[in-house]
Amino acid sequence: MRLGVAQSRLNAVLAKHVAAAIHKCGYEVELVPIASQDLGDNADGDAPSIFLGSPEVVQKRKVLLQGGCDLIVHGVIEMPLFEVPGIASTAIPFRDNSHDVLCSSNKLGLDELPTGSSVGVSSVLRAAQLRIARPDVVAVSLRGDTIPHLQRLKGAGLGHVTDLDALIIAQAKLAYGDQLDLVAEEFDGLHWRTEVGQGAVAVEVRERDLYQDPQIAAVMEGINNRVAYMQVLAERETMRALDVGYEAPIGFHSTVEGDTLVLRASAFSATGAARIDAQSSTRLDGTPEDEQRTKELAKLVAQSLKQQGVFELIASQRLPQSMSAQAVLGKTPVAVSGFGSGELKFERAHTQIKKPLSGITTIVARPPDSTLCRELRELGAQVIASVLSSTTPLPGMRVAKALDKLANGGYDWVIFMSPRAVTSLVDAGYDMGEVFRKAYSRGVHIAVEGDSVARAVRRAGGWVDLMPHLRSAEGVVLELQEFVGSRMYPTALMPSSLEPDPVIVTSLEASGWTLDFPSVYALETLPALPGVIQAHLEACVEDPQPTVFIATAPVIARAGAALFPEGRRPTCVAIGPKTAQTLCELGWEPDAQAVSGEDLPGVILRCLGR
């Protein structure tokens, strides 16, 4: 198998270590150079998620997805916290010393440095802890490669004039570069917190290969260090639960003591004036349940930090000019209508503090665990998640022929826009695991609209090659066209309801795609509103509450128009012009229209006059 290696010195060292681990598992590995290139300014809110991250990570992932190699390796700290659809990171082969160290030209420790010494730091976390430990020294912000800064220290040791007296850096970075000669002090992790995943190395593969290629799956399992994996998982899941980025001054110290994983996290004010701590533990027994227990552990620690005011602590800080609000308060960019490309709507960074939708009830015809419902709850809304229609599978000759064609590689892509499209095929008795297995061997790719669709596909035995950052039909079209590039006349199967998504069909066919969209299920509006919605509407008669029905698609608009009595219809927000048009045709003019789920919170607030 082929291991992609970027041109940086550090990545080359990491790749050699990983190659050695693969050899120990009994597999041959070829190191494949990945050329660097000018990627341009792709890290904006409208870019496909593959384009988000450092240029080196982006290039390695692009080569991986395009089939130029089978595995890639990163330092965990290089990897964005959000997941990239199509890529699976399931192995942490090793984690070197995760501690920070102090390097100084004269081998003086932190307590021994003279007042006024200049100490280089490359993160807000290190700067904050330095200000707590030694408020009388000067924290100098450093960017880029650490080697030039180390050379500055060496120059000072030789009597040369320099503006840097010491440097705080990850011990692992020095170890990989054989630069340990300048280390004056190693900081104890119990007292000095370090960056999420520091010192750990991750191997990534294509998700499709992990699910369908036994050799890839065996290698990833064979090289994985389970202790390091659980430590990194706990730290990254805590940051995800907090929805903050790497630049936030939040550090960790995780250990495995016997069969117990202990996770310690601390958040700091950038000035070093305040610190909050959280700690919890969970038992590990070597079973698959360890991963879920570790995620629950991370949620507990994140919740403890929230209760202690972590968001207020972070949001109150004045950010250095070189540090964007996006970097500190969330790595995931937000595409917002009316804002320039690449510009973050800063207000969203404070949503977890202000809970702008508090006191508002939203009615959503989606599963309770869907991304939209989860995000609305995080913004403070009460969410009534209840379907308004029943699903009937539609097996038939056309569906059977389409699945046979898919299994034999007759399509380049299969596109799923709804979990029902997947579950209906399974409920109709089709062996989707076998269909997916055959389709994989013939190079078929799978695109999904969102998280709930991805879960349905994986449960059915499939995988995900593409899931757009902008969870909408428009997002699917954008990223499919980007993924396919200049390839002529691609073909796709899109199992659909009786009414396939017009945005997908029109946009892709106009771009030269050949689409096959057999109807695999029918939706029938329920005879009456679900009881939970009826109870809420009745309660509003006596005690009016701001309530918003979110029409996410034309079929939902039709169900809502049929079920909500005209005199008791709540405020209505339509997502997309087609949905709004459908409501108007049925005599229910929506109060507002959102471009997608991304700008929904602001639209809700505006239409309620808040």
Side-chain angles (χ1 to χ4, degrees):
M1 56 190 63
R2 301 162 300 159
L3 175 60
V5 186
Q7 291 186 340
S8 71
R9 181 180 55 84
L10 178 59
N11 196 248
V13 172
L14 297 181
K16 289 179 181 178
H17 283 283
V18 170
I22 294 174
H23 277 300
K24 287 183 179 180
C25 292
Y27 294 94
E28 294 298 319
V29 61
E30 174 190 359
L31 298 181
V32 178
I34 296 178
S36 61
Q37 63 183 46
D38 181 12
L39 299 175
D41 184 15
N42 289 315
D44 60 61
D46 297 316
S49 54
I50 181 60
F51 291 139
L52 304 173
S54 71
E56 181 174 290
V57 170
V58 168
Q59 182 62 7
K60 285 185 287 186
R61 284 175 163 174
K62 285 181 68 176
V63 171
L64 176 65
L65 286 177
Q66 291 168 357
C69 60
D70 303 309
L71 311 94
I72 53 176
V73 58
H74 319 286
V76 168
I77 204 166
E78 299 176 86
M79 299 164 54
L81 286 168
F82 55 86
E83 297 178 356
V84 174
I87 292 178
S89 177
T90 57
I92 306 291
F94 41 86
R95 186 176 196 179
D96 207 327
N97 189 325
S98 63
H99 296 170
D100 277 347
V101 295
L102 178 80
C103 298
S104 63
S105 56
N106 47 19
K107 289 298 185 76
L108 293 179
L110 183 59
D111 292 339
E112 301 168 314
L113 290 175
T115 297
S117 295
S118 297
V119 181
V121 292
S122 57
S123 71
V124 182
L125 174 63
R126 292 188 178 110
Q129 294 182 94
L130 177 63
R131 292 182 180 117
I132 291 174
R134 286 294 305 271
D136 58 326
V137 301
V138 179
V140 179
S141 179
L142 303 177
R143 296 293 174 188
D145 189 4
T146 57
I147 299 302
H149 305 308
L150 289 170
Q151 296 302 326
R152 288 160 67 184
L153 289 182
K154 289 183 177 180
L158 297 174
H160 300 163
V161 176
T162 181
D163 58 348
L164 201 62
D165 301 304
L167 169 67
I168 297 176
I169 189 174
Q171 192 271 353
K173 185 169 287 189
L174 294 177
Y176 290 133
D178 294 324
Q179 298 282 341
L180 293 172
D181 55 308
L182 285 175
V183 173
E185 180 179 355
E186 179 178 331
F187 298 130
D188 179 4
L190 284 173
H191 303 97
W192 183 282
R193 299 293 190 244
T194 52
E195 307 282 354
V196 55
Q198 183 164 300
V201 174
V203 177
E204 292 186 324
V205 297
R206 289 179 291 273
E207 180 182 324
R208 57 188 289 113
D209 295 341
L210 184 66
Y211 276 75
Q212 301 292 334
D213 188 329
Q215 186 177 21
I216 289 290
V219 166
M220 294 295 274
E221 181 179 0
I223 66 175
N224 189 42
N225 180 318
R226 192 162 182 81
V227 169
Y229 178 84
M230 292 302 170
Q231 289 177 312
V232 170
L233 179 65
E235 295 171 15
R236 285 173 63 86
E237 286 296 321
T238 302
M239 297 294 274
R240 286 183 181 136
L242 293 172
D243 194 21
V244 294
Y246 280 130
E247 293 288 357
I250 299 174
F252 296 90
H253 180 60
S254 57
T255 58
V256 174
E257 302 164 6
D259 62 353
T260 301
L261 171 62
V262 181
L263 176 64
R264 303 172 181 87
S266 302
F268 301 84
S269 66
T271 60
R275 167 177 175 162
I276 57 177
D277 300 295
Q279 175 178 328
S280 191
S281 62
T282 190
R283 182 177 59 86
L284 302 178
D285 58 11
T287 65
E289 287 70 33
D290 281 351
E291 189 160 332
Q292 186 57 42
R293 283 194 285 264
T294 299
K295 290 180 179 180
E296 293 300 324
L297 168 66
K299 290 178 182 177
L300 287 174
V301 170
Q303 185 61 32
S304 176
L305 292 174
K306 290 177 184 179
Q307 292 171 348
Q308 296 179 69
V310 64
F311 297 124
E312 292 84 348
L313 189 69
I314 296 173
S316 65
Q317 305 309 310
R318 180 181 178 86
L319 305 179
Q321 288 185 341
S322 61
M323 201 171 298
S324 67
Q326 176 179 326
V328 172
L329 288 150
K331 281 288 186 184
T332 307
V334 183
V336 184
S337 176
F339 284 73
S341 178
E343 186 174 347
L344 177 74
K345 189 174 183 181
F346 188 81
E347 291 90 305
R348 183 176 176 188
H350 296 273
T351 54
Q352 299 198 61
I353 305 165
K354 298 180 179 179
K355 298 288 185 181
L357 299 185
S358 293
I360 298 173
T361 298
T362 56
I363 300 173
V364 186
R366 286 195 177 180
D369 63 345
S370 67
T371 301
L372 179 58
C373 291
R374 186 176 66 249
E375 290 183 348
L376 288 170
R377 282 192 291 267
E378 289 175 351
L379 295 173
Q382 177 185 347
V383 178
I384 299 176
S386 182
V387 297
L388 301 180
S389 55
S390 60
T391 304
T392 302
L394 297 176
M397 186 62 69
R398 185 184 175 192
V399 175
K401 286 184 176 180
L403 293 179
D404 184 65
K405 183 178 177 180
L406 172 63
N408 286 284
Y411 302 101
D412 300 309
W413 286 83
V414 56
I415 304 169
F416 291 105
M417 296 298 295
S418 165
R420 301 185 196 204
V422 186
T423 57
S424 294
L425 290 171
V426 175
D427 292 343
Y430 296 110
D431 186 349
M432 292 307 298
E434 181 66 10
V435 171
F436 285 135
R437 186 187 66 78
K438 291 180 177 179
Y440 166 82
S441 67
R442 288 160 175 80
V444 178
H445 291 77
I446 300 177
V448 300
E449 181 267 346
D451 298 303
S452 58
V453 190
R455 286 193 291 271
V457 168
R458 289 166 181 149
R459 283 196 296 266
W463 66 91
V464 174
D465 290 300
L466 184 151
M467 180 170 61
H469 169 65
L470 185 63
R471 306 289 202 258
S472 66
E474 292 83 356
V476 171
V477 170
L478 170 69
E479 297 204 23
L480 272 174
Q481 292 173 334
E482 178 64 41
F483 198 112
V484 172
S486 60
R487 176 173 177 175
M488 297 296 290
Y489 312 121
T491 60
L493 170 67
M494 188 171 73
S496 306
S497 66
L498 289 171
E499 299 178 55
D501 193 299
V503 173
I504 293 280
V505 175
T506 303
S507 301
L508 290 183
E509 287 186 342
S511 301
W513 285 65
T514 300
L515 292 183
D516 188 5
F517 36 89
S519 299
V520 299
Y521 66 96
L523 294 175
E524 184 176 348
T525 300
L526 297 177
L529 278 173
V532 63
I533 299 178
Q534 288 192 35
H536 175 75
L537 294 179
E538 291 169 3
C540 287
V541 174
E542 299 294 330
D543 180 20
Q545 303 172 42
T547 301
V548 179
F549 168 58
I550 301 172
T552 55
V555 65
I556 302 301
R558 280 191 289 274
L563 293 175
F564 284 100
E566 287 196 25
R568 296 169 61 186
R569 286 177 173 173
T571 299
C572 179
V573 174
I575 298 182
K578 184 66 176 177
T579 306
Q581 179 184 339
T582 300
L583 283 166
C584 290
E585 291 172 351
L586 295 170
W588 187 359
E589 184 175 350
D591 297 271
Q593 177 184 324
V595 176
S596 70
E598 295 285 358
D599 62 340
L600 187 60
V603 172
I604 291 175
L605 293 174
R606 286 195 295 274
C607 74
L608 292 177
R610 293 195 176 188

